[in-house]
Amino acid sequence: MRKILVTGAFGLVGSDLVPELQKRFGKENVFALGNKTIPEDFDGNLVRGDVTDYSSLEVIVKEDRITDVYHLAGLLSVGSEKDPELAWKVNFGGLKNVLDLAKIYKFKVFWPSSIAAFGPTTPKINTPQHTSLEPTTIYGIGKVTGELMCQYYWKRYGVDVRSLRYPGLTGYKAPPGDGTTEYSVHIFYGLLKEGRYSAFLKENTRLPMMYIDDAIKGTIDLMEAPAEKINVRTSYNFGAINFTPKEIAEEIKKLYPDFVCTFDPDPVKQSIAESWPESIDDSEARRDWGWKPTFDLPKMTETMIGGLKEKLGIGS
Ligand code: VAH
């Protein structure tokens, strides 16, 4: 019987991943680990713990006989730059705790890397799977280190840990975190609440992006793929679309002509964004385990607006 633990269960990815896992494997078999923000209306198995506390995680793994861990808990790029010590403790320390427990209790692990693993020396267009990884953020350094740790624990201890380099993700079920690509979520709140939005990146800043439904499907497909199909044990490039703040604003204006988007770049966020690629070559994920995105920018825009209107209780 599958018993699945999701850490960071109430963040942008977890808020969509947990319901999908509950649907596929049964609500009773999915355990959501929350630390701070727990939605009052959460319907499922809630476990409390701290991924930096090995013993508290071990209690959960043993008591609930966990077979799979989706380890999502961590700080994002901007939050990490605000507190590098905490970022390292949670992002790297939390991953090491999960991998050390996987070594003993033999559960499968998913862990998200990110396009943040790339840096200024990485080719920006159609970034290859194997390339220069010289990130200039503590978040990116944690991602590169984490990828190498995943590969080590696979080769040395046989831990079946799998990973994706998430692009910027857009979804409406959870409030946006403290990240660089999160403007693609904030813009929809600005549209529906005020009819306007001031983007914190320059209008022509192109970044790899993906709608959350594609990310959830790809994540579970990777975890359910036969081990022999997984040829990348650091982290797979994982792409879908790419756009600029101006392009997503123009897409919104096709549906809301009066929407006003201005651009007021935040120096830290702009600097982070400019160290990342513009588009990703994810041909190895497509070849090895059949990855294929389905949301383009128009479909993502329409879906985000519909979903957020329902969440915010805004009529048509
Ligand atoms: C961030 N949304 O901006 C996250 C993500 C690829 C970016 O890791 O920090």
Side-chain angles (χ1 to χ4, degrees):
M1 174 66 76
R2 305 283 285 275
K3 296 288 181 184
I4 303 168
L5 172 68
V6 180
T7 73
F10 305 102
L12 180 66
V13 176
S15 300
D16 280 87
L17 178 65
V18 168
E20 183 60 28
L21 291 171
Q22 290 176 328
K23 195 160 74 177
R24 291 196 194 197
F25 299 103
K27 202 178 290 184
E28 69 283 3
N29 297 318
V30 179
F31 299 82
L33 188 147
N35 191 1
K36 296 187 183 78
T37 50
I38 317 281
E40 283 161 27
D41 61 348
F42 174 65
D43 177 17
N45 295 325
L46 178 64
V47 287
R48 293 218 178 252
D50 175 352
V51 294
T52 65
D53 176 352
Y54 181 93
S55 308
S56 78
L57 276 182
E58 185 174 32
V59 167
I60 296 165
V61 165
K62 283 170 74 173
E63 277 183 3
D64 297 315
R65 299 189 307 285
I66 297 299
T67 59
D68 301 61
V69 174
Y70 287 80
H71 177 48
L72 306 177
L75 282 74
L76 297 179
S77 57
V78 177
S80 294
E81 287 307 299
K82 288 176 184 166
D83 190 341
E85 291 300 322
L86 180 64
W88 187 256
K89 183 168 177 262
V90 176
N91 294 0
F92 179 77
L95 173 61
K96 189 169 185 310
N97 282 342
V98 169
L99 292 174
D100 284 336
L101 286 165
K103 194 168 68 174
I104 300 167
Y105 297 98
K106 310 297 181 202
F107 52 77
K108 198 190 288 189
V109 180
F110 172 79
W111 171 74
S113 182
S114 158
I115 57 168
F118 302 119
T121 59
T122 307
K124 284 198 173 296
I125 312 297
N126 223 20
T127 300
Q129 175 67 51
H130 303 287
T131 185
S132 156
L133 300 175
E134 297 176 331
T136 48
T137 64
I138 188 67
Y139 178 67
I141 293 164
K143 291 303 185 186
V144 172
T145 317
E147 290 187 11
L148 296 173
M149 287 285 285
C150 290
Q151 180 175 256
Y152 182 81
Y153 276 69
W154 160 254
K155 287 181 181 293
R156 176 77 189 270
Y157 306 113
V159 170
D160 188 357
V161 49
R162 304 165 186 209
S163 179
L164 296 171
R165 288 169 178 161
Y166 280 160
L169 301 179
T170 305
Y172 60 84
K173 290 198 180 120
D178 200 4
T180 302
T181 64
E182 269 64 19
Y183 83 86
S184 68
V185 181
H186 287 289
I187 194 167
F188 290 100
Y189 284 87
L191 163 70
L192 295 179
K193 289 184 172 178
E194 298 161 37
R196 60 181 305 106
Y197 175 65
S198 173
F200 51 65
L201 293 181
K202 288 178 184 170
E203 63 181 80
N204 60 354
T205 309
R206 184 171 301 282
L207 288 166
M209 295 286 202
M210 185 183 292
Y211 186 59
I212 191 70
D213 286 9
D214 274 340
I216 299 306
K217 180 176 187 312
T219 299
I220 299 175
D221 285 354
L222 173 70
M223 280 289 269
E224 294 302 302
E228 59 271 16
K229 287 190 180 288
I230 310 300
N231 298 306
V232 171
R233 289 288 180 171
T234 47
S235 187
Y236 274 98
N237 278 6
F238 186 51
I241 54 182
N242 60 74
F243 54 79
T244 66
K246 183 171 178 58
E247 289 169 347
I248 189 172
E250 293 305 315
E251 195 60 40
I252 290 171
K253 281 183 191 162
K254 291 177 188 171
L255 303 168
Y256 291 79
D258 298 336
F259 174 62
V260 174
C261 187
T262 53
F263 305 92
D264 179 18
D266 170 279
V268 172
K269 293 172 182 171
Q270 187 63 37
S271 160
I272 293 173
E274 287 177 3
S275 73
W276 292 349
E278 295 184 9
S279 60
I280 300 291
D281 171 2
D282 59 3
S283 50
E284 294 208 19
R286 293 173 191 243
R287 181 200 65 204
D288 290 355
W289 47 274
W291 164 237
K292 189 174 183 323
T294 60
F295 280 76
D296 60 11
L297 180 55
K299 187 179 174 186
M300 182 192 93
T301 302
E302 202 178 314
T303 309
M304 273 296 286
I305 292 172
L308 198 52
K309 283 171 77 171
E310 189 178 334
K311 177 184 172 182
L312 299 176
I314 297 174
S316 54

